Amino acid sequence: MFEQTFKNIDDILWKESGCASELDYIEQTSWTLFLKYLDDLEKERKAKAQLASKRFDFLLQKQFRWSGWAAPKKADGSFDHDSALTGDDLIAFVNNNLFPYLQGFKLRASAPDTFEYKIGEIFGEVKNKFQSGYSLRDVLEQMDVLRFNSQKEKHELSHLYEAKIKNMGNAGRNGGEYYTPRPLIRAMVQVTDPRIGETIYDGACGSAGFLCEAHDYLRHGKKRLTTSQLKALQKKTFYGKEKKSLAYIIGIMNMILHGIEAPNIVHANTLSENLTDIQEKDRFDIILANPPFGGKERKEVQQNFPIKTGETAFLFLQHFIKCLKAGGRAAVVIKNTFLSNSDHASRVLRKELLENCNLYTVLDCPGGTFLGAGVKTVVLFFEKGAPTRKTWFYQLDPGRSLGKTNPLNDADLIEFVKLQKTFADSVQSWTVDAGDVAQDTFDMSVKNPNAPEEEPLRHPQEILANIKLLDKETEKILQSIEKLI
């Protein structure tokens, strides 16, 4: 329904001199799409208020509503080209009037968890990169075709937006840090099995893929949800933090398209919070995350953690363990070298994980799972409150090389999810007793004892003898052919 519209928008952005990459494309798509969504949301709320004979007050002043500047209409509903701003006038209005007005919502909002506050935060971070008002006018007219009036329309828009996020992830290393393959996320959600009433948190939420997939898992499960359960999903289930401005905006928009009207995503550096300040009210039932790895944090940030390290992912893992409620469950992506590194921080953190949490499953992912990452990863599944007694390992082998044109898919993870329910041993899975882990190193290296032994390499003399034999057979065949000619 809307796929061609998204393609048309991308074509316009590709020609716009102010947009140089997929990151720019999705940023500019996001803020215009958000304002179109806000306009449809306000119209829907107004219609409901009128049916209930209640007064309705628009969030935005008339001149800043979509119909006031982006897509003015005539009395018959057709587009009013005469009153529509374009060219330099449109750019001046957006930069000097619209954005400052929307940024002001953050100061005028009654609380940080309000929709008004989210508007102010988004437009305090996003930038208008259009240099041509004619390009912006073309995008606005394309965007005006989109509709958020039905679940079917929202569902399609969410899929198209996810595709843009994926393209951004494929665009290179910087884009890839925002994107975790959705098949992997879905498998992580299935294993942790969230339930209505539990709180779900991602402290490095990026494009909010984990929160969106968890929402879909709960929203479209087997049971039909009650009104109170739907309200709980909207307000009291999903929580996230994101440091980077663009990722924060994308995450907000992605959650909105998946049905969360005012997402509980905070624009903040998660690692700036001291672990000693985290109280019971700050903890969550489930944590799903793929924190950034390979980064180096400053000394003042490291002071917030009992285990000092510059490795970003190790600091996040400490944060997640602290933020879990007793009995809470987590699934966290981390570099596979975490399981075997001999440095002090790695050893102490593994000890902390094994002694204070039940590390019940480790999924070993093949190279190429994460495009552009260049490292192998594992997923740690653990429960807080009891020490690890046994850990079930699964070595994922899709039987092919993964890459941009051959990515991970849901079928690749079916066996993992199935076997994980009973911790069954197989050619690709095995169990390690915690008592067998060396207590000085806590090394948890992935070493599959069930993998079939490879045939021993043949001796060079044997190979040469086979080559000579094949040469003789080839010569006889050629001689037979010559006799026939």
Side-chain angles (χ1 to χ4, degrees), residues 148-163:
F148 296 83
N149 299 327
S150 69
Q151 283 301 320
K152 183 179 179 181
E153 290 169 335
K154 291 177 183 177
H155 184 70
E156 184 186 353
L157 287 169
S158 71
H159 274 276
L160 291 169
Y161 194 72
E162 280 277 356

mmCIF file with all atom_site columns, all heavy atoms in Angstrom, residues 148-163:
data_model
loop_
_atom_site.group_PDB
_atom_site.id
_atom_site.type_symbol
_atom_site.label_atom_id
_atom_site.label_alt_id
_atom_site.label_comp_id
_atom_site.label_asym_id
_atom_site.label_entity_id
_atom_site.label_seq_id
_atom_site.pdbx_PDB_ins_code
_atom_site.Cartn_x
_atom_site.Cartn_y
_atom_site.Cartn_z
_atom_site.occupancy
_atom_site.B_iso_or_equiv
_atom_site.pdbx_formal_charge
_atom_site.auth_seq_id
_atom_site.auth_comp_id
_atom_site.auth_asym_id
_atom_site.auth_atom_id
_atom_site.pdbx_PDB_model_num
ATOM 1   N N   . PHE A 1 148 ? -2.295 6.603  9.349  1.00 0.00 ? 148 PHE A N   1
ATOM 2   C CA  . PHE A 1 148 ? -2.125 5.838  10.581 1.00 0.00 ? 148 PHE A CA  1
ATOM 3   C C   . PHE A 1 148 ? -3.481 5.512  11.195 1.00 0.00 ? 148 PHE A C   1
ATOM 4   O O   . PHE A 1 148 ? -3.610 5.353  12.407 1.00 0.00 ? 148 PHE A O   1
ATOM 5   C CB  . PHE A 1 148 ? -1.305 6.648  11.597 1.00 0.00 ? 148 PHE A CB  1
ATOM 6   C CG  . PHE A 1 148 ? 0.106  6.938  11.167 1.00 0.00 ? 148 PHE A CG  1
ATOM 7   C CD1 . PHE A 1 148 ? 0.392  8.011  10.326 1.00 0.00 ? 148 PHE A CD1 1
ATOM 8   C CD2 . PHE A 1 148 ? 1.153  6.150  11.608 1.00 0.00 ? 148 PHE A CD2 1
ATOM 9   C CE1 . PHE A 1 148 ? 1.696  8.288  9.939  1.00 0.00 ? 148 PHE A CE1 1
ATOM 10  C CE2 . PHE A 1 148 ? 2.457  6.417  11.226 1.00 0.00 ? 148 PHE A CE2 1
ATOM 11  C CZ  . PHE A 1 148 ? 2.730  7.491  10.394 1.00 0.00 ? 148 PHE A CZ  1
ATOM 12  N N   . ASN A 1 149 ? -4.495 5.384  10.371 1.00 0.00 ? 149 ASN A N   1
ATOM 13  C CA  . ASN A 1 149 ? -5.860 5.280  10.901 1.00 0.00 ? 149 ASN A CA  1
ATOM 14  C C   . ASN A 1 149 ? -6.259 3.865  11.312 1.00 0.00 ? 149 ASN A C   1
ATOM 15  O O   . ASN A 1 149 ? -7.139 3.689  12.140 1.00 0.00 ? 149 ASN A O   1
ATOM 16  C CB  . ASN A 1 149 ? -6.855 5.800  9.855  1.00 0.00 ? 149 ASN A CB  1
ATOM 17  C CG  . ASN A 1 149 ? -6.599 7.268  9.527  1.00 0.00 ? 149 ASN A CG  1
ATOM 18  O OD1 . ASN A 1 149 ? -6.181 8.030  10.380 1.00 0.00 ? 149 ASN A OD1 1
ATOM 19  N ND2 . ASN A 1 149 ? -6.818 7.648  8.278  1.00 0.00 ? 149 ASN A ND2 1
ATOM 20  N N   . SER A 1 150 ? -5.628 2.834  10.731 1.00 0.00 ? 150 SER A N   1
ATOM 21  C CA  . SER A 1 150 ? -6.014 1.457  11.055 1.00 0.00 ? 150 SER A CA  1
ATOM 22  C C   . SER A 1 150 ? -4.787 0.663  11.480 1.00 0.00 ? 150 SER A C   1
ATOM 23  O O   . SER A 1 150 ? -3.645 1.045  11.197 1.00 0.00 ? 150 SER A O   1
ATOM 24  C CB  . SER A 1 150 ? -6.664 0.786  9.841  1.00 0.00 ? 150 SER A CB  1
ATOM 25  O OG  . SER A 1 150 ? -5.697 0.569  8.824  1.00 0.00 ? 150 SER A OG  1
ATOM 26  N N   . GLN A 1 151 ? -5.028 -0.477 12.144 1.00 0.00 ? 151 GLN A N   1
ATOM 27  C CA  . GLN A 1 151 ? -3.927 -1.344 12.560 1.00 0.00 ? 151 GLN A CA  1
ATOM 28  C C   . GLN A 1 151 ? -3.173 -1.888 11.344 1.00 0.00 ? 151 GLN A C   1
ATOM 29  O O   . GLN A 1 151 ? -1.959 -2.052 11.375 1.00 0.00 ? 151 GLN A O   1
ATOM 30  C CB  . GLN A 1 151 ? -4.469 -2.498 13.407 1.00 0.00 ? 151 GLN A CB  1
ATOM 31  C CG  . GLN A 1 151 ? -4.829 -2.123 14.834 1.00 0.00 ? 151 GLN A CG  1
ATOM 32  C CD  . GLN A 1 151 ? -3.638 -1.572 15.603 1.00 0.00 ? 151 GLN A CD  1
ATOM 33  O OE1 . GLN A 1 151 ? -2.519 -2.050 15.480 1.00 0.00 ? 151 GLN A OE1 1
ATOM 34  N NE2 . GLN A 1 151 ? -3.882 -0.546 16.413 1.00 0.00 ? 151 GLN A NE2 1
ATOM 35  N N   . LYS A 1 152 ? -3.918 -2.155 10.261 1.00 0.00 ? 152 LYS A N   1
ATOM 36  C CA  . LYS A 1 152 ? -3.283 -2.659 9.048  1.00 0.00 ? 152 LYS A CA  1
ATOM 37  C C   . LYS A 1 152 ? -2.300 -1.637 8.485  1.00 0.00 ? 152 LYS A C   1
ATOM 38  O O   . LYS A 1 152 ? -1.185 -1.979 8.072  1.00 0.00 ? 152 LYS A O   1
ATOM 39  C CB  . LYS A 1 152 ? -4.356 -2.999 8.006  1.00 0.00 ? 152 LYS A CB  1
ATOM 40  C CG  . LYS A 1 152 ? -3.800 -3.599 6.714  1.00 0.00 ? 152 LYS A CG  1
ATOM 41  C CD  . LYS A 1 152 ? -4.913 -3.934 5.722  1.00 0.00 ? 152 LYS A CD  1
ATOM 42  C CE  . LYS A 1 152 ? -4.336 -4.514 4.434  1.00 0.00 ? 152 LYS A CE  1
ATOM 43  N NZ  . LYS A 1 152 ? -5.385 -4.815 3.448  1.00 0.00 ? 152 LYS A NZ  1
ATOM 44  N N   . GLU A 1 153 ? -2.716 -0.366 8.471  1.00 0.00 ? 153 GLU A N   1
ATOM 45  C CA  . GLU A 1 153 ? -1.846 0.695  7.960  1.00 0.00 ? 153 GLU A CA  1
ATOM 46  C C   . GLU A 1 153 ? -0.619 0.871  8.851  1.00 0.00 ? 153 GLU A C   1
ATOM 47  O O   . GLU A 1 153 ? 0.512  1.004  8.362  1.00 0.00 ? 153 GLU A O   1
ATOM 48  C CB  . GLU A 1 153 ? -2.636 1.995  7.862  1.00 0.00 ? 153 GLU A CB  1
ATOM 49  C CG  . GLU A 1 153 ? -3.693 1.984  6.755  1.00 0.00 ? 153 GLU A CG  1
ATOM 50  C CD  . GLU A 1 153 ? -4.641 3.173  6.827  1.00 0.00 ? 153 GLU A CD  1
ATOM 51  O OE1 . GLU A 1 153 ? -4.815 3.732  7.932  1.00 0.00 ? 153 GLU A OE1 1
ATOM 52  O OE2 . GLU A 1 153 ? -5.214 3.523  5.783  1.00 0.00 ? 153 GLU A OE2 1
ATOM 53  N N   . LYS A 1 154 ? -0.831 0.861  10.168 1.00 0.00 ? 154 LYS A N   1
ATOM 54  C CA  . LYS A 1 154 ? 0.293  1.005  11.093 1.00 0.00 ? 154 LYS A CA  1
ATOM 55  C C   . LYS A 1 154 ? 1.247  -0.166 10.967 1.00 0.00 ? 154 LYS A C   1
ATOM 56  O O   . LYS A 1 154 ? 2.474  -0.006 11.036 1.00 0.00 ? 154 LYS A O   1
ATOM 57  C CB  . LYS A 1 154 ? -0.222 1.109  12.532 1.00 0.00 ? 154 LYS A CB  1
ATOM 58  C CG  . LYS A 1 154 ? -0.962 2.407  12.838 1.00 0.00 ? 154 LYS A CG  1
ATOM 59  C CD  . LYS A 1 154 ? -1.504 2.400  14.248 1.00 0.00 ? 154 LYS A CD  1
ATOM 60  C CE  . LYS A 1 154 ? -2.315 3.662  14.530 1.00 0.00 ? 154 LYS A CE  1
ATOM 61  N NZ  . LYS A 1 154 ? -2.913 3.648  15.889 1.00 0.00 ? 154 LYS A NZ  1
ATOM 62  N N   . HIS A 1 155 ? 0.705  -1.371 10.778 1.00 0.00 ? 155 HIS A N   1
ATOM 63  C CA  . HIS A 1 155 ? 1.532  -2.569 10.650 1.00 0.00 ? 155 HIS A CA  1
ATOM 64  C C   . HIS A 1 155 ? 2.421  -2.477 9.416  1.00 0.00 ? 155 HIS A C   1
ATOM 65  O O   . HIS A 1 155 ? 3.617  -2.786 9.470  1.00 0.00 ? 155 HIS A O   1
ATOM 66  C CB  . HIS A 1 155 ? 0.622  -3.801 10.558 1.00 0.00 ? 155 HIS A CB  1
ATOM 67  C CG  . HIS A 1 155 ? 1.370  -5.100 10.511 1.00 0.00 ? 155 HIS A CG  1
ATOM 68  N ND1 . HIS A 1 155 ? 2.060  -5.599 11.595 1.00 0.00 ? 155 HIS A ND1 1
ATOM 69  C CD2 . HIS A 1 155 ? 1.539  -6.006 9.503  1.00 0.00 ? 155 HIS A CD2 1
ATOM 70  C CE1 . HIS A 1 155 ? 2.614  -6.751 11.264 1.00 0.00 ? 155 HIS A CE1 1
ATOM 71  N NE2 . HIS A 1 155 ? 2.317  -7.022 10.008 1.00 0.00 ? 155 HIS A NE2 1
ATOM 72  N N   . GLU A 1 156 ? 1.852  -2.017 8.299  1.00 0.00 ? 156 GLU A N   1
ATOM 73  C CA  . GLU A 1 156 ? 2.655  -1.898 7.081  1.00 0.00 ? 156 GLU A CA  1
ATOM 74  C C   . GLU A 1 156 ? 3.727  -0.831 7.242  1.00 0.00 ? 156 GLU A C   1
ATOM 75  O O   . GLU A 1 156 ? 4.882  -1.032 6.850  1.00 0.00 ? 156 GLU A O   1
ATOM 76  C CB  . GLU A 1 156 ? 1.775  -1.563 5.869  1.00 0.00 ? 156 GLU A CB  1
ATOM 77  C CG  . GLU A 1 156 ? 2.605  -1.529 4.586  1.00 0.00 ? 156 GLU A CG  1
ATOM 78  C CD  . GLU A 1 156 ? 1.842  -1.064 3.364  1.00 0.00 ? 156 GLU A CD  1
ATOM 79  O OE1 . GLU A 1 156 ? 0.627  -0.878 3.461  1.00 0.00 ? 156 GLU A OE1 1
ATOM 80  O OE2 . GLU A 1 156 ? 2.475  -0.885 2.316  1.00 0.00 ? 156 GLU A OE2 1
ATOM 81  N N   . LEU A 1 157 ? 3.358  0.290  7.839  1.00 0.00 ? 157 LEU A N   1
ATOM 82  C CA  . LEU A 1 157 ? 4.328  1.362  8.038  1.00 0.00 ? 157 LEU A CA  1
ATOM 83  C C   . LEU A 1 157 ? 5.474  0.920  8.952  1.00 0.00 ? 157 LEU A C   1
ATOM 84  O O   . LEU A 1 157 ? 6.628  1.289  8.733  1.00 0.00 ? 157 LEU A O   1
ATOM 85  C CB  . LEU A 1 157 ? 3.634  2.602  8.615  1.00 0.00 ? 157 LEU A CB  1
ATOM 86  C CG  . LEU A 1 157 ? 2.752  3.374  7.623  1.00 0.00 ? 157 LEU A CG  1
ATOM 87  C CD1 . LEU A 1 157 ? 1.915  4.418  8.345  1.00 0.00 ? 157 LEU A CD1 1
ATOM 88  C CD2 . LEU A 1 157 ? 3.608  4.041  6.551  1.00 0.00 ? 157 LEU A CD2 1
ATOM 89  N N   . SER A 1 158 ? 5.158  0.128  9.970  1.00 0.00 ? 158 SER A N   1
ATOM 90  C CA  . SER A 1 158 ? 6.206  -0.360 10.871 1.00 0.00 ? 158 SER A CA  1
ATOM 91  C C   . SER A 1 158 ? 7.178  -1.267 10.120 1.00 0.00 ? 158 SER A C   1
ATOM 92  O O   . SER A 1 158 ? 8.393  -1.198 10.330 1.00 0.00 ? 158 SER A O   1
ATOM 93  C CB  . SER A 1 158 ? 5.597  -1.091 12.072 1.00 0.00 ? 158 SER A CB  1
ATOM 94  O OG  . SER A 1 158 ? 5.052  -2.333 11.696 1.00 0.00 ? 158 SER A OG  1
ATOM 95  N N   . HIS A 1 159 ? 6.666  -2.105 9.200  1.00 0.00 ? 159 HIS A N   1
ATOM 96  C CA  . HIS A 1 159 ? 7.532  -2.990 8.418  1.00 0.00 ? 159 HIS A CA  1
ATOM 97  C C   . HIS A 1 159 ? 8.408  -2.183 7.463  1.00 0.00 ? 159 HIS A C   1
ATOM 98  O O   . HIS A 1 159 ? 9.605  -2.491 7.296  1.00 0.00 ? 159 HIS A O   1
ATOM 99  C CB  . HIS A 1 159 ? 6.684  -3.987 7.627  1.00 0.00 ? 159 HIS A CB  1
ATOM 100 C CG  . HIS A 1 159 ? 6.328  -5.212 8.416  1.00 0.00 ? 159 HIS A CG  1
ATOM 101 N ND1 . HIS A 1 159 ? 7.163  -6.296 8.537  1.00 0.00 ? 159 HIS A ND1 1
ATOM 102 C CD2 . HIS A 1 159 ? 5.233  -5.514 9.159  1.00 0.00 ? 159 HIS A CD2 1
ATOM 103 C CE1 . HIS A 1 159 ? 6.601  -7.219 9.297  1.00 0.00 ? 159 HIS A CE1 1
ATOM 104 N NE2 . HIS A 1 159 ? 5.423  -6.766 9.680  1.00 0.00 ? 159 HIS A NE2 1
ATOM 105 N N   . LEU A 1 160 ? 7.849  -1.162 6.847  1.00 0.00 ? 160 LEU A N   1
ATOM 106 C CA  . LEU A 1 160 ? 8.625  -0.326 5.931  1.00 0.00 ? 160 LEU A CA  1
ATOM 107 C C   . LEU A 1 160 ? 9.704  0.459  6.673  1.00 0.00 ? 160 LEU A C   1
ATOM 108 O O   . LEU A 1 160 ? 10.821 0.621  6.183  1.00 0.00 ? 160 LEU A O   1
ATOM 109 C CB  . LEU A 1 160 ? 7.683  0.636  5.182  1.00 0.00 ? 160 LEU A CB  1
ATOM 110 C CG  . LEU A 1 160 ? 6.743  -0.030 4.162  1.00 0.00 ? 160 LEU A CG  1
ATOM 111 C CD1 . LEU A 1 160 ? 5.691  0.964  3.689  1.00 0.00 ? 160 LEU A CD1 1
ATOM 112 C CD2 . LEU A 1 160 ? 7.531  -0.579 2.973  1.00 0.00 ? 160 LEU A CD2 1
ATOM 113 N N   . TYR A 1 161 ? 9.361  0.909  7.868  1.00 0.00 ? 161 TYR A N   1
ATOM 114 C CA  . TYR A 1 161 ? 10.336 1.660  8.677  1.00 0.00 ? 161 TYR A CA  1
ATOM 115 C C   . TYR A 1 161 ? 11.454 0.729  9.144  1.00 0.00 ? 161 TYR A C   1
ATOM 116 O O   . TYR A 1 161 ? 12.629 1.110  9.146  1.00 0.00 ? 161 TYR A O   1
ATOM 117 C CB  . TYR A 1 161 ? 9.623  2.301  9.870  1.00 0.00 ? 161 TYR A CB  1
ATOM 118 C CG  . TYR A 1 161 ? 10.448 3.349  10.575 1.00 0.00 ? 161 TYR A CG  1
ATOM 119 C CD1 . TYR A 1 161 ? 10.686 4.587  9.991  1.00 0.00 ? 161 TYR A CD1 1
ATOM 120 C CD2 . TYR A 1 161 ? 10.988 3.107  11.832 1.00 0.00 ? 161 TYR A CD2 1
ATOM 121 C CE1 . TYR A 1 161 ? 11.434 5.561  10.635 1.00 0.00 ? 161 TYR A CE1 1
ATOM 122 C CE2 . TYR A 1 161 ? 11.737 4.067  12.493 1.00 0.00 ? 161 TYR A CE2 1
ATOM 123 C CZ  . TYR A 1 161 ? 11.958 5.296  11.892 1.00 0.00 ? 161 TYR A CZ  1
ATOM 124 O OH  . TYR A 1 161 ? 12.704 6.249  12.538 1.00 0.00 ? 161 TYR A OH  1
ATOM 125 N N   . GLU A 1 162 ? 11.095 -0.489 9.537  1.00 0.00 ? 162 GLU A N   1
ATOM 126 C CA  . GLU A 1 162 ? 12.098 -1.484 9.933  1.00 0.00 ? 162 GLU A CA  1
ATOM 127 C C   . GLU A 1 162 ? 13.049 -1.762 8.764  1.00 0.00 ? 162 GLU A C   1
ATOM 128 O O   . GLU A 1 162 ? 14.250 -1.957 8.963  1.00 0.00 ? 162 GLU A O   1
ATOM 129 C CB  . GLU A 1 162 ? 11.420 -2.778 10.378 1.00 0.00 ? 162 GLU A CB  1
ATOM 130 C CG  . GLU A 1 162 ? 10.886 -2.760 11.794 1.00 0.00 ? 162 GLU A CG  1
ATOM 131 C CD  . GLU A 1 162 ? 11.952 -3.066 12.827 1.00 0.00 ? 162 GLU A CD  1
ATOM 132 O OE1 . GLU A 1 162 ? 13.107 -3.367 12.431 1.00 0.00 ? 162 GLU A OE1 1
ATOM 133 O OE2 . GLU A 1 162 ? 11.654 -3.001 14.025 1.00 0.00 ? 162 GLU A OE2 1
ATOM 134 N N   . ALA A 1 163 ? 12.504 -1.795 7.563  1.00 0.00 ? 163 ALA A N   1
ATOM 135 C CA  . ALA A 1 163 ? 13.342 -2.029 6.382  1.00 0.00 ? 163 ALA A CA  1
ATOM 136 C C   . ALA A 1 163 ? 14.355 -0.898 6.211  1.00 0.00 ? 163 ALA A C   1
ATOM 137 O O   . ALA A 1 163 ? 15.504 -1.135 5.829  1.00 0.00 ? 163 ALA A O   1
ATOM 138 C CB  . ALA A 1 163 ? 12.476 -2.154 5.128  1.00 0.00 ? 163 ALA A CB  1
#
